[in-house]
Amino acid sequence: LGTMTWGVQNDRADAFAQLEYARSKGCNFIDTAELYPVPLTAPEWKAGNTEKILGEYLKTIGNQARDELVIASKIAGFFPNSPVAAERTIPPTDPPPDCRLDRDSIRQATDASLRRLQTDRIDLMQIHWPDRYVPAFGLMSYWHEQKRADAVPIRETAAALKELIDEGKIRYIGLSNESTYGVCEWVRACEELGIADKLATIQNSYSLLDRRFDSELAEAVDNYNIGLLPWSVLAGGLLSGKYRSGSKKNGIAADDGSRFNKYPDYMARWNPKSATESTLLAVDDYSRIAEEAGLTPSQLAVAFCRSRKFIADCGSVIVGATTVEQLKENMEPFDTPVELSEDVLAKIDEVHLRCRDPCCTL
């Protein structure tokens, strides 16, 4: 269960209702981050508020129920003059310091997350994005001139996480928005430190509209036994079909509170007002494939991700929602497992091959 809307689009009561429903359906993995909620441009945004809401819920259900859950959070990567780093202290640090991945920053971020979550350990602590320059969030080209000489070495970050593992504050390590090179360097660092078995997951963008993970990254994680936790499997909600016009809708329709209507500048590559024509055409094609298969567009998108070996073997699909009604639809492929036929998968590949990863850019 993804939590990034809690504190902006969703309040405490909404979050508790989502958690109760998800747990009733057997969901035991909760993904959050010190950065959340999003978008950062929302007037009510404040770093750490999502963790605070989740922490209040964990306190409410008690230690035994908390022990049944896997709580995952993330430490922000390179972010100059960051309000995220500022919220690691009480009162917030002024002026805001930089988010970095050096030892002191890792320890401070972890302690702040533990405080907000009201728990004694984080089951999976992920690096939200690297300290070094790397193209991310829809970018595909590596621009050499953006490389920074002061990037914190991966081994330093890994060593700091090892200290926290030894202290019992975190249990496992995850990566996010990472490249194949980065995965290999992380594996090497963890092997040198004797914690190779603690590097468990990677959380990168993956969906019907962004299948870049299918290539070198898929090979790397297969050989290193690292599972993918794909983020934005619905491309921010675009793949739900709710923003389509002039076509049959068999999902939940958008309203004024829907993300791209409420925040028109957020996730521009998926916003129906700014997405490329090829992206919107692909969404229509996938929606038609879903209808022919007797599924909603959301269910097709989730079921497709669940069919990928690097997710099915040792990863999991993160689903989120702003209403329990949406959450029910998104969790249906888990409650009643959907096996996509070879014919449906072939139709999906046909759309993909016509325009690969249309929402990504140089």
Side-chain angles (χ1 to χ4, degrees), residues 51-230:
E51 285 185 327
K52 286 182 180 178
I53 292 172
L54 178 55
E56 291 169 3
Y57 180 80
L58 296 180
K59 183 179 180 180
T60 299
I61 63 175
N63 290 336
Q64 183 175 347
R66 185 269 176 261
D67 290 345
E68 297 172 356
L69 299 175
V70 177
I71 304 299
S73 193
K74 308 182 195 74
I75 299 172
F78 180 71
F79 187 164
N81 306 313
S82 174
V84 178
E87 290 295 333
R88 293 172 181 168
T89 60
I90 299 175
T93 304
D94 186 26
D98 297 346
C99 275
R100 301 303 302 268
L101 296 179
D102 58 277
R103 177 184 181 274
D104 290 346
S105 296
I106 291 292
R107 295 190 65 86
Q108 189 177 62
T110 300
D111 287 342
S113 288
L114 287 169
R115 181 181 69 246
R116 289 188 289 254
L117 289 166
Q118 302 189 54
T119 188
D120 62 351
R121 83 281 184 191
I122 293 168
D123 300 296
L124 178 68
M125 182 57 93
Q126 304 156 99
I127 300 301
H128 209 154
W129 62 88
D131 192 272
R132 72 186 193 283
Y133 159 69
V134 63
F137 304 109
L139 299 176
M140 296 191 297
S141 295
Y142 182 87
W143 297 102
H144 297 267
E145 61 273 17
Q146 294 191 38
K147 181 178 179 180
R148 300 191 336 275
D150 67 340
V152 176
I154 286 173
R155 197 182 191 285
E156 179 179 344
T157 307
L161 292 170
K162 179 184 184 301
E163 290 180 8
L164 294 164
I165 290 173
D166 292 342
E167 294 168 18
K169 291 184 176 181
I170 65 173
R171 297 182 63 214
Y172 289 89
I173 300 169
L175 311 176
S176 185
N177 300 298
E178 190 52 276
S179 67
T180 306
Y181 165 78
V183 169
C184 295
E185 287 297 296
W186 267 97
V187 169
R188 181 168 71 169
C190 288
E191 286 176 344
E192 292 175 355
L193 293 165
I195 54 170
D197 60 327
K198 296 298 184 179
L199 183 56
T201 60
I202 179 171
Q203 187 173 149
N204 277 29
S205 171
Y206 189 78
S207 70
L208 289 168
L209 293 175
D210 184 359
R211 293 175 56 177
R212 291 171 294 163
F213 201 93
D214 283 333
S215 187
E216 290 92 348
L217 271 165
E219 178 189 18
V221 300
D222 181 57
N223 283 280
Y224 294 132
N225 196 36
I226 295 171
L228 175 64
L229 306 173

